[in-house]
Amino acid sequence: MKRASLFFTLSLAFVLTACGKTNPMLEQHPDYIGDWQSSTDTLKIEKNGQVTYKHNEHQDQKTPESEVSLTAHSDIKATITEFNDNSFEIGQGELSKGFKVDHAPYKENGQWKMQINGQVYTKK
């Protein structure tokens, strides 16, 4: 019983320590860390390198002959695998997603913004 308790305590300490560290790729780019929102996307970049990306887009097209409703949805949670001034990537292989940095984080009227893949994101 004592061993199990000690193992649990050490495991918990390791997890809490790991969660508190900043990913080496983000140490030079701390302004990217946070919760970001665009008109169709949310992007959460955690200091440990975990990224949650959600894309929701809905479009209705009407013509005299038909009515079409289109929905696009993506939901990805992965770790940053590459990061530089021009882009970053999360995940690996077929389960990866690339982000082109059009404009690095900047302050505008007291709010943090950045432009990724042609979309302007605002920090929440």
Side-chain angles (χ1 to χ4, degrees):
M1 181 81 171
K2 239 182 184 180
R3 254 188 216 179
S5 179
L6 178 62
F7 177 74
F8 177 75
T9 302
L10 289 174
S11 297
L12 183 60
F14 176 74
V15 168
L16 292 175
T17 302
C19 291
K21 289 190 176 185
T22 300
N23 181 294
M25 287 184 258
L26 290 172
E27 285 178 349
Q28 301 301 314
H29 306 281
D31 294 341
Y32 284 87
I33 298 168
D35 295 325
W36 298 88
Q37 180 76 48
S38 76
S39 59
T40 58
D41 301 346
T42 59
L43 184 63
K44 180 178 184 176
I45 302 173
E46 298 178 43
K47 70 179 185 176
N48 66 2
Q50 276 285 58
V51 176
T52 304
Y53 169 75
K54 293 182 181 186
H55 172 78
N56 291 301
E57 190 171 356
H58 183 82
Q59 186 178 27
D60 290 323
Q61 296 177 347
K62 293 180 182 181
T63 65
E65 298 83 32
S66 67
E67 188 174 318
V68 178
S69 183
L70 305 171
T71 302
H73 177 78
S74 297
D75 194 347
I76 303 168
K77 184 171 186 174
T79 302
I80 293 175
T81 52
E82 290 182 35
F83 198 103
N84 62 53
D85 291 336
N86 302 315
S87 65
F88 62 94
E89 189 168 310
I90 62 171
Q92 293 188 0
E94 291 182 23
L95 300 176
S96 67
K97 168 87 175 137
F99 298 88
K100 181 181 175 285
V101 177
D102 302 309
H103 198 296
Y106 60 97
K107 263 194 168 175
E108 181 178 279
N109 298 325
Q111 280 197 305
W112 280 97
K113 296 186 178 209
M114 68 176 170
Q115 186 172 351
I116 304 286
N117 292 343
Q119 287 198 57
V120 175
Y121 288 80
T122 303
K123 195 179 247 186
K124 295 189 218 175

